[in-house]
Amino acid sequence: MTKTSRTLPQTLRHYLVNPPALVYLGIVLGVCLWVAADAFFASSSGDASLVGVWAMLATAPTSLMVPFEGPIALIGIPIGAVVQSFALGAMYRYVTERRALGTANGVSRA
């Protein structure tokens, strides 16, 4: 079995464009839109809300490792989302390619 070398964009697409990674990114996007909508509507009422914590929790623990404070710490949310969806995609590709390789060789793992 020969290994094919991929460029960085090809590798990212390989691991980020699959069902688990896209569903996770969709969930994070939905949570971030909810947080933005709540922040917009709560700012007019003057009521403080802790809904912004959900965006950090949706991408934890990776987003919590960003060593910044204040508003710049929000960069941890997209970084955490991409890193974790990459990990989900890598696990998905590993399982599906391993299963495909086993059935191609005539080996049944049932």
Side-chain angles (χ1 to χ4, degrees):
M1 182 164 84
T2 62
K3 274 198 151 180
T4 60
S5 62
R6 294 185 185 114
T7 63
L8 181 63
Q10 289 173 334
T11 302
L12 288 174
R13 188 179 71 229
H14 181 72
Y15 290 121
L16 291 176
V17 181
N18 55 61
L22 292 175
V23 166
Y24 176 74
L25 287 174
I27 290 171
V28 171
L29 178 65
V31 168
C32 289
L33 290 174
W34 173 54
V35 167
D38 186 70
F40 176 74
F41 292 119
S43 66
S44 63
S45 69
D47 183 25
S49 175
L50 290 176
V51 76
V53 174
W54 284 104
M56 294 295 279
L57 290 177
T59 56
T62 309
S63 63
L64 299 176
M65 292 183 197
V66 175
F68 302 117
E69 292 181 14
I72 194 74
L74 293 177
I75 194 70
I77 294 170
I79 290 171
V82 170
V83 167
Q84 291 180 180
S85 64
F86 186 85
L88 282 170
M91 288 177 8
Y92 175 79
R93 291 290 182 181
Y94 174 75
V95 169
T96 56
E97 289 172 2
R98 183 175 168 157
R99 185 177 301 152
L101 180 64
T103 57
N105 291 335
V107 177
S108 175
R109 302 198 189 277

